[in-house]
Short mmCIF file of all heavy atoms in Angstrom, two decimals:
data_model
loop_
_atom_site.label_atom_id
_atom_site.label_comp_id
_atom_site.label_asym_id
_atom_site.label_seq_id
_atom_site.Cartn_x
_atom_site.Cartn_y
_atom_site.Cartn_z
N HIS A 164 51.90 -31.45 15.19
CA HIS A 164 52.59 -30.32 15.78
C HIS A 164 53.30 -29.49 14.71
O HIS A 164 53.28 -28.25 14.76
CB HIS A 164 53.59 -30.83 16.83
CG HIS A 164 54.34 -29.73 17.53
ND1 HIS A 164 53.73 -28.87 18.40
CD2 HIS A 164 55.65 -29.35 17.46
CE1 HIS A 164 54.62 -28.01 18.84
NE2 HIS A 164 55.80 -28.29 18.30
N GLU A 165 53.94 -30.14 13.74
CA GLU A 165 54.63 -29.43 12.66
C GLU A 165 53.65 -28.65 11.80
O GLU A 165 53.93 -27.52 11.39
CB GLU A 165 55.43 -30.43 11.81
CG GLU A 165 56.65 -30.98 12.52
CD GLU A 165 57.33 -32.06 11.70
OE1 GLU A 165 56.80 -32.42 10.61
OE2 GLU A 165 58.39 -32.53 12.13
N ILE A 166 52.50 -29.25 11.54
CA ILE A 166 51.48 -28.54 10.74
C ILE A 166 50.99 -27.31 11.49
O ILE A 166 50.84 -26.23 10.90
CB ILE A 166 50.31 -29.50 10.41
CG1 ILE A 166 50.78 -30.58 9.42
CG2 ILE A 166 49.14 -28.73 9.82
CD1 ILE A 166 49.77 -31.67 9.18
N ALA A 167 50.80 -27.43 12.79
CA ALA A 167 50.35 -26.29 13.59
C ALA A 167 51.40 -25.19 13.58
O ALA A 167 51.07 -24.00 13.52
CB ALA A 167 50.05 -26.74 15.01
N GLU A 168 52.70 -25.55 13.64
CA GLU A 168 53.76 -24.55 13.60
C GLU A 168 53.78 -23.82 12.26
O GLU A 168 54.03 -22.62 12.19
CB GLU A 168 55.12 -25.21 13.86
CG GLU A 168 55.36 -25.59 15.31
CD GLU A 168 56.71 -26.26 15.50
OE1 GLU A 168 57.38 -26.61 14.52
OE2 GLU A 168 57.09 -26.44 16.68
N GLN A 169 53.54 -24.56 11.17
CA GLN A 169 53.51 -23.92 9.85
C GLN A 169 52.37 -22.89 9.78
O GLN A 169 52.55 -21.79 9.25
CB GLN A 169 53.33 -24.98 8.75
CG GLN A 169 54.55 -25.85 8.53
CD GLN A 169 54.28 -26.95 7.52
OE1 GLN A 169 53.17 -27.08 7.01
NE2 GLN A 169 55.31 -27.74 7.22
N TYR A 170 51.23 -23.23 10.31
CA TYR A 170 50.11 -22.28 10.32
C TYR A 170 50.42 -21.06 11.16
O TYR A 170 50.07 -19.93 10.79
CB TYR A 170 48.82 -22.94 10.81
CG TYR A 170 48.14 -23.80 9.76
CD1 TYR A 170 47.94 -25.15 9.98
CD2 TYR A 170 47.69 -23.25 8.57
CE1 TYR A 170 47.32 -25.94 9.02
CE2 TYR A 170 47.08 -24.02 7.61
CZ TYR A 170 46.88 -25.38 7.83
OH TYR A 170 46.28 -26.14 6.88
N GLU A 171 51.09 -21.24 12.27
CA GLU A 171 51.45 -20.11 13.12
C GLU A 171 52.44 -19.20 12.41
O GLU A 171 52.38 -17.98 12.50
CB GLU A 171 52.05 -20.60 14.43
CG GLU A 171 51.04 -21.19 15.38
CD GLU A 171 51.68 -21.74 16.65
OE1 GLU A 171 52.89 -21.53 16.85
OE2 GLU A 171 50.96 -22.38 17.43
N ALA A 172 53.40 -19.80 11.64
CA ALA A 172 54.38 -19.01 10.89
C ALA A 172 53.66 -18.18 9.81
O ALA A 172 53.98 -17.01 9.58
CB ALA A 172 55.43 -19.91 10.27
N ILE A 173 52.70 -18.79 9.17
CA ILE A 173 51.94 -18.08 8.13
C ILE A 173 51.15 -16.94 8.77
O ILE A 173 51.09 -15.83 8.23
CB ILE A 173 51.01 -19.05 7.38
CG1 ILE A 173 51.85 -20.02 6.55
CG2 ILE A 173 50.04 -18.30 6.49
CD1 ILE A 173 51.04 -21.14 5.91
N ASP A 174 50.55 -17.18 9.93
CA ASP A 174 49.78 -16.16 10.63
C ASP A 174 50.67 -14.98 11.02
O ASP A 174 50.26 -13.84 10.94
CB ASP A 174 49.11 -16.73 11.87
CG ASP A 174 47.94 -17.66 11.51
OD1 ASP A 174 47.45 -17.56 10.37
OD2 ASP A 174 47.54 -18.47 12.38
N LYS A 175 51.91 -15.26 11.45
CA LYS A 175 52.82 -14.18 11.84
C LYS A 175 53.20 -13.32 10.64
O LYS A 175 53.34 -12.11 10.74
CB LYS A 175 54.08 -14.75 12.48
CG LYS A 175 53.83 -15.31 13.87
CD LYS A 175 55.10 -15.87 14.48
CE LYS A 175 54.83 -16.50 15.84
NZ LYS A 175 56.02 -17.13 16.39
N LYS A 176 53.38 -13.95 9.46
CA LYS A 176 53.74 -13.20 8.25
C LYS A 176 52.58 -12.29 7.82
O LYS A 176 52.79 -11.16 7.42
CB LYS A 176 54.08 -14.15 7.11
CG LYS A 176 55.39 -14.88 7.30
CD LYS A 176 55.64 -15.81 6.14
CE LYS A 176 56.90 -16.64 6.34
NZ LYS A 176 57.09 -17.61 5.26
N THR A 177 51.39 -12.82 7.88
CA THR A 177 50.24 -12.02 7.43
C THR A 177 49.76 -11.05 8.49
O THR A 177 48.99 -10.15 8.19
CB THR A 177 49.07 -12.95 7.05
OG1 THR A 177 48.72 -13.75 8.17
CG2 THR A 177 49.43 -13.83 5.87
N ALA A 178 50.22 -11.20 9.72
CA ALA A 178 49.80 -10.29 10.78
C ALA A 178 50.33 -8.88 10.52
O ALA A 178 49.71 -7.90 10.89
CB ALA A 178 50.27 -10.79 12.13
N GLY A 179 51.47 -8.75 9.88
CA GLY A 179 52.04 -7.44 9.58
C GLY A 179 51.26 -6.74 8.48
O GLY A 179 51.24 -5.52 8.39
N ARG A 180 50.61 -7.49 7.63
CA ARG A 180 49.85 -6.91 6.54
C ARG A 180 48.47 -6.47 7.05
O ARG A 180 47.88 -7.10 7.90
CB ARG A 180 49.62 -7.93 5.43
CG ARG A 180 50.88 -8.42 4.78
CD ARG A 180 50.52 -9.38 3.69
NE ARG A 180 51.67 -10.19 3.31
CZ ARG A 180 51.59 -11.27 2.58
NH1 ARG A 180 50.43 -11.70 2.17
NH2 ARG A 180 52.68 -11.94 2.28
N LYS A 181 48.02 -5.39 6.47
CA LYS A 181 46.67 -4.95 6.81
C LYS A 181 45.71 -5.58 5.81
O LYS A 181 45.90 -5.49 4.60
CB LYS A 181 46.55 -3.43 6.74
CG LYS A 181 47.32 -2.73 7.83
CD LYS A 181 47.05 -1.24 7.77
CE LYS A 181 47.80 -0.53 8.88
NZ LYS A 181 47.60 0.91 8.82
N THR A 182 44.74 -6.18 6.33
CA THR A 182 43.74 -6.79 5.44
C THR A 182 42.59 -5.81 5.29
O THR A 182 42.17 -5.16 6.24
CB THR A 182 43.21 -8.11 6.03
OG1 THR A 182 42.66 -7.85 7.32
CG2 THR A 182 44.32 -9.13 6.16
N THR A 183 42.12 -5.71 4.09
CA THR A 183 40.99 -4.82 3.84
C THR A 183 39.71 -5.60 4.10
O THR A 183 39.47 -6.66 3.53
CB THR A 183 41.00 -4.31 2.39
OG1 THR A 183 40.99 -5.42 1.50
CG2 THR A 183 42.23 -3.46 2.12
#
Side-chain angles (χ1 to χ4, degrees):
H164 181 69
E165 289 174 356
I166 291 172
E168 285 179 350
Q169 289 175 358
Y170 281 120
E171 287 177 8
I173 292 172
D174 288 341
K175 288 180 183 176
K176 289 179 184 176
T177 58
R180 297 182 198 166
K181 291 185 179 178
T182 58
T183 57

